[in-house]
C-alpha cells in the first residue's frame, strides 16, 4: 500500500504529492515583501516548515550562496564577508565538497554555515526517497569529515525544483528547506553584465526579512558584494545568520 507520512494513499494521491514545482516568487518593489501567494505552493511550504523569507517586520537580511562548482570568486566573496563582518550560508554540492576542501574549511573557520545542495544536483522529484536521503547524507558526511561541522540543518533543493514528497522526505531527515526572496539571473557565466547591474538588481529588491540568493560563480556578484552590503546597511538593514531566522515566519 502506498503511504505518505504513515497515511494510506491512492495512486492519484501519490501522483499529486509528487507534482513538481519550480520555485518562483513575485519580486519586491519599493521595499514591499516578496510574495508567493500566486505560485500555488505556499501551503506546501508552510506544511513542511520550508522558508523563503524571514520576519517581514524586521529590517534583517539573510545572505546565501549556491556553490555548485568553483569559478575563482568564492575567495574574494569570503574576503568581503570577513571585512564587513557579515555571516552567510553556502549551499554546496558533492562536486564542490570534493574539489574545494580548503574553501569549505575557511567557510566554517570564519563563522559561515555550510548547507546541503545535494551530492549530484538532481531533480529531486524524479528520484525515490532512498536516493534523496543518500544525496543529502553524502554531503553532510563529507563536510563533517573535512571541516568538523557535524550539524547540517539547511537544504536548498537543486534547481529550485521540489514537491510535497521531497519536502517531506528532507524534513524527516532534519532539514529546513531554504528558498529565497531576492535573486536575479546571475548563474550564467557567459552572460555577466557587470558589477553595477548586480548591485542594481539586488538593491532594487531589498525588503525586510529577505533571503538573498547569489551564485558564487558570478564575477558580477563578487565585485558588487561590498557595495550591496554597504547600501543595505545605509538603508537600515542588518545581516544575520540563517540560525537567527524564525522558522514559520
Amino acid at each position: 500500500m502506498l503511504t505518505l507520512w504513515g497515511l494510506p494513499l491512492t495512486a492519484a494521491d501519490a501522483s499529486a504529492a509528487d507534482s513538481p514545482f519550480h520555485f518562483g516568487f513575485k519580486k519586491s518593489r519599493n521595499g514591499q515583501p516578496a510574495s508567493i501567494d500566486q505560485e500555488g505552493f505556499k501551503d506546501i511550504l508552510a506544511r513542511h516548515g520550508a522558508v523563503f523569507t524571514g520576519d517581514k517586520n524586521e529590517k534583517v537580511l539573510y545572505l546565501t550562496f549556491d556553490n555548485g562548482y568553483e569559478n575563482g570568486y568564492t575567495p574574494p566573496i569570503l574576503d568581503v564577508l570577513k571585512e564587513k563582518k557579515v555571516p552567510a550560508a553556502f549551499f554546496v554540492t558533492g562536486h564542490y565538497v570534493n574539489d574545494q576542501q580548503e574553501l569549505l574549511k575557511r567557510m566554517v573557520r570564519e563563522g559561515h554555515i555550510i548547507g546541503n545542495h545535494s551530492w549530484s544536483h538532481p531533480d529531486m522529484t524524479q528520484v525515490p526517497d532512498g536516493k534523496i536521503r543518500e544525496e543529502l547524507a553524502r554531503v553532510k558526511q563529507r563536510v563533517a569529515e573535512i571541516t568538523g561541522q557535524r550539524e547540517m540543518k539547511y537544504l536548498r533543493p537543486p534547481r529550485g525544483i521540489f514537491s510535497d514528497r521531497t519536502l517531506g522526505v528532507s524534513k524527516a531527515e532534519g532539514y529546513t528547506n531554504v528558498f529565497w526572496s531576492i535573486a536575479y539571473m546571475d548563474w550564467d557565466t557567459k552572460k555577466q553584465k557587470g558589477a553595477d547591474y548586480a548591485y542594481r538588481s539586488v538593491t532594487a529588491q531589498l525588503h525586510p526579512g529577505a533571503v538573498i540568493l547569489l551564485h558564487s560563480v558570478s564575477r558580477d556578484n563578487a565585485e558588487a558584494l561590498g557595495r550591496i552590503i554597504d547600501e543595505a546597511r545605509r538603508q537600515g538593514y542588518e545581516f544575520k545568520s540563517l540560525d537567527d531566522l524564525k522558522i514559520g515566519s
Side-chain angles (χ1 to χ4, degrees), residues 94-244:
H95 173 81
Y96 200 91
V97 169
N98 282 337
D99 193 52
Q100 298 296 328
Q101 297 186 16
E102 292 307 311
L103 282 178
L104 292 178
K105 293 175 185 177
R106 181 179 173 186
M107 290 170 188
V108 171
R109 186 169 64 246
E110 296 182 357
H112 303 297
I113 291 170
I114 298 179
N116 208 319
H117 201 35
S118 79
W119 188 261
S120 62
H121 207 256
D123 175 350
M124 294 285 207
T125 68
Q126 299 301 307
V127 299
D129 295 0
K131 177 64 174 176
I132 293 174
R133 289 191 285 266
E134 177 188 338
E135 287 274 334
L136 302 182
R138 290 184 71 187
V139 173
K140 180 179 180 178
Q141 179 178 340
R142 284 296 291 139
V143 168
E145 291 169 353
I146 293 164
T147 71
Q149 177 188 281
R150 299 296 169 186
E151 188 175 44
M152 187 170 279
K153 300 185 291 185
Y154 305 108
L155 166 66
R156 176 153 287 152
R159 313 180 201 181
I161 305 174
F162 65 97
S163 68
D164 192 17
R165 176 182 69 89
T166 66
L167 294 188
V169 171
S170 52
K171 181 183 179 182
E173 293 300 302
Y175 287 93
T176 295
N177 284 267
V178 179
F179 294 92
W180 55 89
S181 62
I182 293 180
Y184 77 101
M185 294 182 65
D186 62 347
W187 58 87
D188 190 337
T189 58
K190 297 179 180 178
K191 294 182 179 180
Q192 299 294 290
K193 299 181 179 180
D196 286 346
Y197 181 85
Y199 170 82
R200 291 193 304 270
S201 296
V202 174
T203 57
Q205 299 180 63
L206 293 178
H207 64 90
V211 176
I212 303 172
L213 163 60
L214 298 175
H215 286 80
S216 60
V217 296
S218 166
R219 178 192 66 243
D220 296 352
N221 289 339
E223 293 177 354
L225 183 59
R227 291 171 58 201
I228 291 169
I229 292 169
D230 289 346
E231 174 60 18
R233 285 176 165 160
R234 188 193 70 78
Q235 294 185 28
Y237 287 96
E238 179 183 3
F239 289 87
K240 288 190 176 183
S241 166
L242 284 182
D243 283 343
D244 298 311

Side-chain angles (χ1 to χ4, degrees), residues 9 21 35 59 69 79 87 90 109 153-154 163 216 239 249:
L9 284 179
F21 293 96
S35 173
K59 294 195 79 171
Y69 65 96
D79 290 343
F90 294 86
R109 186 169 64 246
K153 300 185 291 185
Y154 305 108
S163 68
S216 60
F239 289 87
S249 60

Side-chain angles (χ1 to χ4, degrees), residues 33-54:
S35 173
I36 57 171
D37 290 347
Q38 307 302 317
E39 303 299 326
F41 51 68
K42 185 175 182 178
D43 290 346
I44 294 174
L45 264 62
R47 179 161 61 252
H48 297 294
V51 297
F52 84 106
T53 186

